[in-house]
Amino acid sequence: MNSDLIDIVLLASPVVQAVMVILAIMSISAWAVAIAKSHQVRQASKVAQQFDQVFWQTQELTSLYNQVSQSGEKSKGMASIFEAGFREFVRLRKQGVAHTSDLIAGTQRAMKIAFSKESEVLENRLSLLATVGSSAPYIGLFGTVWGVMHAFQSLGHVQNATLAAVAPGISEALIATAIGLFAAIPAVIAYNRLSNQVDRLLGEYENFAEGFLTIMQRQAHSLENKPAASSTTDA
């Protein structure tokens, strides 16, 4: 069976062979991206859970910021969002910004930029899976149509049209369709699965950012009220 399949592929028309090669490359690329992204998302989720636990157990955020910024490695995920927001908050305070709304707005902008960068990293190359899943069946269908055309053209040179004469062309046409489906189905499954995981992880990032922003808002209110309290005491 395997030898017959190889013979059919080798004896196929050049166009159908080209279609098979393209589909094979697409399938290999989709599997490579799916495996790599699965590992990346799994690691990102693990790191996010660890940092979330450390964050809510930390009493002093300044020490956590120093630990993250001085770790020697580029922060990722929640750590990157936290670092960007806390850095902007401290920078605005050093510049003399005292109003809570200004402090929170600047902190929120910095966190939003960090969130966008993390989102791009997680969603990178997912479009390849969507492209393979949507286009591979049509490429395989093109190979099928071409193979059928080639089979019927070969009948024009045969006086007695038999099943044996048309079967090779039909076989190579069906193989092109099968390869297209073989490339598309795993790509669609991987895309849907990874998209759901990425959306869930980004949702965790957003929840963390909202919780962190609430803490910074309370701190900004306390810092804003300190001068008023001291002036009342002096009076």
Side-chain angles (χ1 to χ4, degrees), residues 13-117:
S13 63
V15 174
V16 177
Q17 288 181 343
V19 168
M20 293 178 182
V21 170
I22 293 173
L23 291 173
I25 294 174
M26 294 175 65
S27 179
I28 294 172
S29 301
W31 277 100
V33 169
I35 294 173
K37 294 301 292 186
S38 296
H39 177 73
Q40 179 187 9
V41 173
R42 186 165 54 250
Q43 288 295 113
S45 179
K46 181 179 179 181
V47 171
Q49 292 177 359
Q50 293 176 349
F51 183 82
D52 188 65
Q53 292 178 356
V54 172
F55 174 81
W56 292 109
Q57 292 174 359
T58 300
Q59 300 296 329
E60 180 59 45
L61 293 182
T62 302
S63 61
L64 179 60
Y65 170 75
N66 293 332
Q67 180 181 353
V68 172
S69 60
Q70 297 174 5
S71 62
E73 298 180 358
K74 184 179 179 181
S75 56
K76 299 178 181 179
M78 288 184 182
S80 175
I81 297 173
F82 164 76
E83 183 181 5
F86 197 88
R87 184 194 303 115
E88 183 66 15
F89 184 87
V90 172
R91 187 180 68 83
L92 292 175
R93 285 293 302 172
K94 289 182 178 179
Q95 291 179 353
V97 179
H99 293 291
T100 301
S101 59
D102 296 334
L103 286 172
I104 296 304
T107 303
Q108 191 172 22
R109 284 194 298 270
M111 294 169 63
K112 187 176 293 185
I113 294 173
F115 177 84
S116 298
K117 292 180 179 179

Side-chain angles (χ1 to χ4, degrees), residues 132-193:
V132 172
S134 61
S135 62
Y138 294 102
I139 297 176
L141 181 61
F142 170 77
T144 297
V145 173
W146 191 274
V148 172
M149 290 173 55
H150 181 73
F152 281 109
Q153 283 181 350
S154 63
L155 290 179
H157 305 286
V158 179
Q159 293 181 350
N160 297 324
T162 61
L163 181 60
V166 72
I170 301 298
S171 298
E172 71 180 46
L174 294 178
I175 289 176
T177 300
I179 296 177
L181 294 175
F182 178 79
I185 293 174
V188 172
I189 295 174
Y191 175 78
N192 292 333
R193 176 173 171 271

